[in-house]
DNA sequence: CTTTCACTTGACGTTAACGTAAACGTCAAT
DNA sequence: ATTGACGTTTACGTTAACGTCAAGTGAAAG
């Protein structure tokens, strides 16, 4: 096996994922990433890139960083743990519920407003007739 | 017209809407509410209740307080302003877009995970056969 | 050798939406 | 007069997710 050892600087990751270096260091403080070091410098591996991808995906799903941390812990592709996988799925389902509720609320509000608009326009017509 | 002048104490509103009194005072600081005073005491009117209802609805839609403030300003039922109404509807539509995007992301993630689970289970079956 | 570049570790600042005292006023009931 | 319920202002504290310096290191390049 060739240990090709591809690694990336903090600047690389920053560019590739559209986040600041501050963000990457912050994620490390929180224990979400732990790149190797070459002296002082951080060296990010492919695995680190995957973790970062997961973190950012978590954010897009509407999770906090702490929640993302939990999720990633569960996501561990090594331990083929079925129970953990179910737990993960459940977490996502909960989030799905929350998002759906928001969507319902938005749709309701929108329906109300459009109804309102319809009536307003009609009122104008009446005035103009 | 009977000016029945129904009014509520801060405690009343707190109870009725499930928010703390601190929250109500905070909303006032931010200019989202401005109840009358009876000496020092705050007296909330029916109109104030409506405003509060709108604020909380805004939160459920996923808006910040500042955004809610904007929305409520537009919502003004007095000025039958059609353009303003359209603007309001547009704002909500934008939010709808954001929420829908989140939902898409969640569904994607969920699909992935379920696929994963399906495969894991199959792998187990293979082992057990 | 000095400049420059990329990177490092502090550490304080910021926004949002309140929480949490502290200290004081008021009015009714005991 | 004291207690208790309810209310008031002032003001510092908290969490999240970074932003924004400041000061220093290490290595390469001129």
């Amino acid at each position: 096996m060739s240990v090709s050892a591809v690694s990336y600087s903090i600047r690389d990751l920053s560019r590739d994922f559209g986040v600041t270096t501050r963000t990457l260091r912050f994620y490390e403080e929180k224990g979400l990433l732990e790149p190797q070091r070459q002296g002082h410098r951080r060296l990010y591996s492919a695995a680190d890139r995957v973790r970062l991808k997961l973190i950012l995906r978590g954010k897009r799903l509407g999770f906090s960083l702490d929640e993302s941390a939990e999720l990633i812990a569960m996501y561990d592709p090594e331990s083929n743990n079925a129970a953990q996988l179910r737990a993960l799925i459940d977490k996502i389902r909960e989030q799905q519920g929350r998002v759906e509720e928001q969507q319902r609320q938005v749709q309701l509000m929108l329906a109300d407003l459009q109804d309102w608009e319809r009536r307003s326009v009609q009122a104008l017509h009446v005035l103009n007739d």
Side-chain angles (χ1 to χ4, degrees), chain A:
Chain A
M1 277 199 218
S2 80
V3 182
S4 52
V6 269
S7 62
Y8 310 83
S9 77
I10 195 171
R11 193 56 61 181
D12 292 339
L13 276 200
S14 156
R15 251 194 305 277
D16 298 353
F17 289 88
V19 301
T20 72
T21 63
R22 175 68 180 96
T23 296
L24 293 174
R25 297 199 186 95
F26 178 70
Y27 288 173
E28 191 173 343
E29 274 184 52
K30 297 221 70 171
L32 294 175
L33 290 175
E34 22 187 347
Q36 299 177 315
R37 299 297 181 112
Q38 179 191 41
H40 261 206
R41 274 78 188 286
R42 290 166 173 81
L43 282 189
Y44 295 88
S45 69
D48 290 325
R49 294 180 72 104
V50 171
R51 290 184 69 87
L52 180 52
K53 202 174 280 183
L54 289 176
I55 297 171
L56 298 179
R57 184 179 297 184
K59 291 198 62 176
R60 284 201 301 276
L61 300 194
F63 286 109
S64 75
L65 284 184
D66 284 350
E67 288 169 326
S68 289
E70 277 190 72
L71 298 186
I72 292 179
M74 295 187 193
Y75 194 80
D76 181 10
E78 304 301 319
S79 112
N80 214 327
N81 188 336
Q84 215 171 31
L85 185 53
R86 294 294 313 167
L88 179 48
I89 291 181
D90 286 354
K91 283 255 183 195
I92 310 271
R93 280 239 176 78
E94 285 174 33
Q95 179 67 5
Q96 185 180 35
R98 282 188 287 271
V99 172
E100 272 172 357
E101 171 59 18
Q102 268 200 46
Q103 201 180 15
R104 258 194 304 282
Q105 297 286 338
V106 170
Q107 305 240 355
L108 274 179
M109 176 74 106
L110 214 44
D112 268 20
L113 288 176
Q114 279 161 351
D115 205 51
W116 225 91
E117 186 186 26
R118 212 171 37 69
R119 277 202 292 270
S120 297
V121 171
Q122 287 214 334
L124 284 179
H125 281 180
V126 169
L127 289 179
N128 289 334
D129 279 353

